[in-house]
Structure formats: structure tokens, C-alpha cells
Amino acid sequence: GGDPGVTVLFANITEQRKAQLALMENERFLSTVLQLSPTPTFIIDRNHKIIFWNRALEIMTKINAEDTIGTSFPWKAFYAQERPCLADFLLDGDAARFEQIYGNKGRILQNPENIWETTGFFPALYNGGTWLHCTATAMRDSSGNLTGVIEMLEDVTGAKQRASRFDPGT
């Protein structure tokens, strides 16, 4: 009858909040796993911007993550002049240029993960340089769209040095 009133609507968002917290916890867990991994690792998004640079890579390159995140310069950690990293070649799908630059030192595994790998000598790392085995694979969303590339680096200097004792051509 025209009297002022208040209408209050309540919605139970308990399940939605639980799902949000679970998602945040999963993201935190994944970040921790990648950050604590002893394997030097970086991730670039579909625009070639670095979105992840782990602690092992900071130690290897002496470059802090905060100096890399949001840039498109992962090459600065490995090369004296600008050039694509393995992750960049994979992101662009540039197999021809990859093969041109790496030749028989690189290979593309024809499998669902589309793994690209190469081994090379990086004179700027450590004292006197180091041999790295680099592996990159595409990251995709649930619809199969390319969202970025993860690249992992393994120091294989010791193995190369042992092999060269037995085969001087190595």
C-alpha cells in the first residue's frame, strides 16, 4: 500500500567461492613447482613476452626474473646479439628457419606435444661457456589454441666433455 520497504536478495555463493579458492591454490601450486624445479625454465606467451623465469634460470644466467617478465628478450641471457630463441621458433612455427640455423643439431619431434630441441654451446654462460640441451614445447588451452611456449634448459657440459675424450669430433 505505498509504504516504503526494503527488498533483500541473498545468493549462496559458497560453491563458487570454493571453486575460486581451489583454482587459486592450483595456480599457486603449479607456480611453486615450476619455481622450485632444478631445471632452468622460461615461458613466453603468444606475443613472445616472457611470463615466467624460474629461480634455476636466474642462477644460471645471473638475470633476475623481475628484469625479464613482460619483455621479449630471453635471447639476452644466451646470445651477444638479438636473435630468436628456440621457444620463438616454435611459437612462430618457423621450422624452415629453425632447421637453417640449427641444422643437424636440432630436431622437431613429430608427436602431439610438438617438441623442438637442440644442443649448443653458449660462451657467455658460466666461466668459459657451457653446453645446453634446450627443449621447447607448445602450451595450449582447453580448445587447443596456442597460448605460449615453455623452454627448458639442461647443462650437458660434463657429458660433452666426457664424450670428447673418446671422440675428438664431438
Side-chain angles (χ1 to χ4, degrees):
D3 292 331
V6 175
T7 302
V8 178
L9 298 175
F10 292 96
N12 185 349
I13 60 167
T14 304
E15 293 304 314
Q16 180 182 353
R17 184 67 181 142
K18 283 181 183 177
Q20 288 173 335
L21 291 173
L23 181 59
M24 287 172 38
E25 191 58 36
N26 284 341
E27 289 173 356
R28 188 175 306 121
F29 175 77
L30 180 58
S31 179
T32 300
V33 168
L34 287 171
Q35 198 57 254
L36 296 178
S37 170
T39 304
T41 303
F42 69 91
I43 300 173
I44 60 174
D45 66 14
R46 70 176 128 229
N47 298 311
H48 296 268
K49 300 285 186 200
I50 299 169
I51 59 171
F52 182 81
W53 190 271
N54 78 349
R55 180 73 182 131
L57 192 53
E58 286 182 324
I59 293 167
M60 173 187 276
T61 63
K62 296 180 177 48
I63 298 174
N64 292 326
E66 57 266 8
D67 296 331
T68 66
I69 304 300
T71 72
S72 24
F73 310 128
W75 63 269
K76 286 185 176 182
F78 311 104
Y79 305 107
Q81 54 195 352
E82 185 172 357
R83 58 154 289 172
C85 290
L86 183 60
D88 295 303
F89 286 118
L90 192 155
L91 187 62
D92 292 338
D94 197 348
R97 186 149 182 243
F98 168 77
E99 291 171 3
Q100 175 188 16
I101 289 177
Y102 293 108
N104 64 355
K105 293 180 179 139
R107 68 183 182 151
I108 299 172
L109 304 177
Q110 300 299 326
N111 57 24
E113 288 78 30
N114 196 25
I115 296 171
W116 294 28
E117 63 182 9
T118 188
T119 301
F121 185 71
F122 295 82
L125 293 176
Y126 299 126
N127 294 329
T130 191
W131 284 90
L132 293 179
H133 179 77
C134 308
T135 306
T137 190
M139 297 171 48
R140 300 189 182 278
D141 64 18
S142 60
S143 299
N145 300 311
L146 183 64
T147 59
V149 174
I150 184 169
E151 183 169 338
M152 294 181 270
L153 311 152
E154 177 186 7
D155 184 342
V156 293
T157 305
K160 282 290 203 179
Q161 290 170 341
R162 286 188 296 281
S164 68
R165 284 188 222 137
F166 300 107
D167 180 6
T170 306

